Amino acid sequence: MAFIRRCLPLLIKGVNRIPLAKQEKSIHRWVAPTLMEFKRREKKQGGKIANPRNTFLEWNLEAELFAFGKRLGEDFDSSLLLQAFTDRSYVIKEEMKQKEMEFAVNMKDNRELSDEGMKFMDEYVQLYLEAVLPKFPKEGIISVKKHLLSENVLANISLHLGTKDIILAAEYPVDNYTLANTFKALVGALYQSSGEDKTANFVRDFVITQLQGQDVNEFWQIEDPWTMLTDLISKTGASIEPRLIGEVGKGTLLACYRVGLYIDKNMLSAGFGESISVAKDMAAREALKKLFGTEENMHPINFNLQIIPKDTSRSQHQIGSS
Amino acid sequence: MSNSNLFMKTGFVRAPLQNGVGRYVCQLQRIVFKFCKSHGGSRGLRDFIEQDLVDFAKNNPSVVVYLKPRRHRSAVVVGEYLNGDRVWMSVNQKTHSEITKWIENLRTQQGNLSEIRLRKYQYTDHPSIQGPWTPFTFKNPELNLAELPNVKFGENNRLPISATEQLRLMFEKQKLSDVKTAE
């Protein structure tokens, strides 16, 4: 009995050492191998395969076109809408097919519509920007417009309106050029079917609104802000005076200078930088933003102008400072 | 993030294409109802099709509705969105009212939201409103008129009181009280 009593603690210790309920961290060791296997299989079949949506059983082009117009809240002429969605590459492909089968059906592609749409957008966006950014110079307006009507921006708009699946093109998925071209053609088709006012509102709602949350100054690269500022100021007869109003950490890596620009002892703007010339440049940029009415705290751009803005003379827009 | 979210796409709370700034565009572009004409599992979906589908199509002309009867297969609803997302949802054995609610959910969302892990519950393009900090940002305006060197601005009062100093102050205080009691 005494022997057992002496051995009992040892026995219990031994039992404790054998883990009954195994505890481990739940690290999913299968994740990396699974992902690698997926990638290997994808590579083997030659990249991701995207089946054209219009080859599916559940596809009705007529219904899609009807819904497309309703989605945007516009009344498109149905034949014009179909024409806007027909890309040049598709027409070429179809004509080749028809030659083989020896019959001919005339198809119209969207080149004309797209040209017309682009022409309208070009004019309208310019007028609209001039109306909502009255003090912004012409070169700036042109560069903002260039951004808005660039292929990437238009393709993004086009994609998010659901044109990707409806476009009749030789390839699938369609590239950015085709997407942008289709959007231009849509604007052209709307112009022909609903007129100027509706098209203007359409362009405003889908193209101009892309400026929301963006800084318009970023689209216009000013090479030499100081020269531009002095030119503008000298036109009014005043002279501008840069003053060093702060310097910290001179001669160190973290040096910071602050330059203020003054007109008749009134501060126009201030800028900072790692050297005096950079600080002066930054101050000049700030001053230009103030003159152009595009400061960081500017009132948001109005996206609700109803009418087509008239082309007003740009003389008063040159400088509206002081 | 838990391990079950490893395969999920990540994203932020965003509206596609500034939706609503210009005009609102319903983001559901087409919906496909797949069902069996005889099986009991499709009963709810068949009821929905019989009673509500025409109204649904009338109220949402921007959504293309397809019906796809499949013999002896379970009931499925597939929604496709303008941003390219595709939501596959099994509605087998679901009742009519459940399906109505799920379809309302599909109609009003803007993509495959249930398969996105939100990195944050808020989003901003401009994390800083004031711009970058400089040493001049919160400068005391009093400094503009002060004549330097100045005792007020030159004193070193940023550090907490040291233990030695605390002891010294306590000692001074005690001495004062000693004097008082002596009187």
Side-chain angles (χ1 to χ4, degrees):
Chain A
M1 196 65 207
F3 175 74
I4 292 172
R5 207 172 283 158
R6 206 180 294 157
C7 287
L8 203 62
L10 280 176
L11 266 174
I12 288 167
K13 246 186 202 171
V15 167
N16 276 348
R17 253 178 224 160
I18 301 163
L20 288 176
K22 203 178 160 195
Q23 267 197 348
E24 60 174 23
K25 274 185 184 175
S26 57
I27 297 171
H28 290 190
R29 305 247 178 239
W30 51 274
V31 172
T34 312
L35 287 175
M36 279 190 271
E37 176 62 19
F38 282 168
K39 190 150 194 196
R40 197 186 63 79
R41 286 187 193 182
E42 197 182 304
K43 224 178 175 182
K44 199 177 159 195
Q45 78 176 4
K48 264 190 183 134
I49 292 175
N51 290 320
R53 183 64 179 80
N54 53 19
T55 58
F56 285 24
L57 193 59
E58 54 269 25
W59 180 262
N60 182 349
L61 185 61
E62 209 176 311
E64 295 284 343
L65 289 178
F66 174 79
F68 184 84
K70 290 288 174 198
R71 184 176 303 141
L72 307 182
E74 301 290 353
D75 292 321
F76 284 98
D77 184 62
S78 56
S79 61
L80 277 176
L81 189 57
L82 182 63
Q83 191 189 337
F85 276 116
T86 316
D87 192 53
R88 179 76 193 140
S89 61
Y90 180 77
V91 174
I92 291 171
K93 195 179 136 197
E94 286 297 303
E95 275 171 359
M96 299 281 268
K97 255 192 214 168
Q98 286 171 11
K99 246 181 206 172
E100 275 175 26
M101 295 163 78
E102 292 180 351
F103 75 99
V105 177
N106 265 341
M107 290 181 86
K108 283 183 185 168
D109 62 42
N110 60 10
R111 281 181 301 177
E112 281 168 26
L113 286 177
S114 132
D115 287 345
E116 194 179 342
M118 189 58 185
K119 204 180 136 217
F120 178 82
M121 278 201 286
D122 199 68
E123 279 171 18
Y124 178 71
V125 170
Q126 172 103 21
L127 287 177
Y128 197 97
L129 290 177
E130 279 170 8
V132 290
L133 301 168
K135 292 178 189 167
F136 210 49
K138 200 152 195 173
E139 303 91 69
I141 296 267
I142 286 172
S143 24
V144 176
K145 186 182 76 179
K146 211 171 142 194
H147 162 77
L148 281 180
L149 300 183
S150 68
E151 190 181 295
N152 281 338
V153 173
L154 289 186
N156 183 43
I157 299 168
S158 179
L159 184 78
H160 280 90
L161 297 184
T163 57
K164 188 188 82 175
D165 297 328
I166 310 177
I167 291 177
L168 300 170
E171 55 182 4
Y172 185 92
V174 288
D175 57 5
N176 270 0
Y177 173 77
T178 319
L179 282 171
N181 211 36
T182 309
F183 183 74
K184 291 173 202 167
L186 282 171
V187 174
L190 186 63
Y191 185 73
Q192 285 195 9
S193 43
S194 296
E196 201 176 50
D197 289 356
K198 285 226 163 186
T199 320
N201 282 352
F202 179 81
V203 174
R204 180 197 70 191
D205 286 349
F206 291 108
V207 182
I208 309 250
T209 51
Q210 296 303 305
L211 282 181
Q212 192 236 357
Q214 307 257 23
D215 184 7
V216 284
N217 300 298
E218 280 175 16
F219 304 123
W220 184 28
Q221 299 295 329
I222 303 172
E223 293 296 325
D224 191 355
W226 177 249
T227 321
M228 182 183 270
L229 181 68
T230 43
D231 284 355
L232 281 175
I233 299 289
S234 62
K235 268 181 205 163
T236 59
S239 67
I240 193 155
E241 184 194 357
R243 285 190 216 159
L244 186 65
I245 53 174
E247 81 188 312
V248 177
K250 198 174 165 186
T252 68
L253 279 176
L254 295 173
C256 185
Y257 297 90
R258 195 176 189 220
V259 168
L261 301 183
Y262 290 81
I263 297 178
D264 299 337
K265 295 185 180 175
N266 287 325
M267 194 188 215
L268 179 62
S269 70
F272 66 92
E274 68 266 30
S275 68
I276 293 175
S277 61
V278 172
K280 199 173 117 187
D281 253 22
M282 295 306 288
R285 274 179 204 281
E286 278 302 310
L288 284 176
K289 279 184 194 173
K290 259 190 190 170
L291 296 186
F292 299 155
T294 55
E295 309 101 309
E296 252 106 84
N297 57 349
M298 71 185 269
H299 201 75
I301 291 174
N302 184 4
F303 296 118
N304 280 324
L305 288 189
Q306 280 299 331
I307 39 156
I308 296 176
K310 296 281 173 291
D311 190 8
T312 45
S313 64
R314 304 276 308 161
S315 54
Q316 89 246 20
H317 304 146
Q318 287 311 314
I319 177 161
S321 69
S322 57
Chain B
M1 187 186 86
S2 68
N3 268 328
S4 61
N5 296 338
L6 276 178
F7 283 124
M8 286 180 110
K9 264 202 304 187
T10 61
F12 293 97
V13 193
R14 306 291 294 132
L17 202 74
Q18 268 84 29
N19 194 8
V21 177
R23 65 181 78 167
Y24 171 73
V25 175
C26 176
Q27 295 293 309
L28 178 68
Q29 59 172 340
R30 64 183 73 93
I31 191 164
V32 185
F33 299 98
K34 304 177 181 178
F35 62 99
C36 174
K37 287 182 182 175
S38 54
H39 242 277
S42 302
R43 168 83 193 271
L45 190 55
R46 282 201 305 270
D47 284 350
F48 176 81
I49 290 167
E50 278 169 19
Q51 294 166 28
D52 296 342
L53 189 65
V54 175
D55 286 341
F56 175 82
K58 246 182 218 165
N59 295 336
N60 305 291
S62 63
V63 182
V64 190
V65 180
Y66 294 103
L67 295 181
K68 197 178 182 187
R70 309 181 300 172
R71 200 165 288 176
H72 304 168
R73 301 277 299 274
S74 62
V76 166
V77 173
V78 179
E80 282 169 56
Y81 290 86
L82 288 180
N83 62 0
D85 281 353
R86 184 172 180 273
V87 176
W88 185 97
M89 182 183 281
S90 168
V91 289
N92 202 29
Q93 308 284 5
K94 282 202 168 65
T95 61
H96 178 187
S97 67
E98 271 179 307
I99 289 173
T100 316
K101 284 165 196 160
W102 276 120
I103 282 167
E104 185 62 15
N105 183 40
L106 285 180
R107 186 182 72 80
T108 47
Q109 70 184 4
Q110 46 119 329
N112 197 358
L113 292 183
S114 58
E115 279 181 25
I116 280 182
R117 177 169 58 80
L118 288 180
R119 293 201 204 170
K120 287 176 184 171
Y121 293 113
Q122 65 275 326
Y123 178 87
T124 172
D125 280 324
H126 308 286
S128 168
I129 295 167
Q130 299 170 337
W133 178 89
T134 69
F136 316 108
T137 303
F138 301 115
K139 212 176 109 181
N140 188 353
E142 263 184 274
L143 274 168
N144 289 331
L145 296 174
E147 276 190 23
L148 301 175
N150 188 320
V151 184
K152 190 185 165 196
F153 297 113
E155 70 185 348
N156 183 4
N157 54 1
R158 286 169 300 172
L159 298 174
I161 193 162
S162 69
T164 320
E165 187 72 3
Q166 233 165 1
L167 274 176
R168 194 184 63 78
L169 286 177
M170 279 162 71
F171 179 66
E172 298 269 319
K173 217 175 173 183
Q174 198 184 19
K175 266 207 297 191
L176 275 177
S177 56
D178 282 353
V179 170
K180 266 184 196 164
T181 45
E183 280 169 2

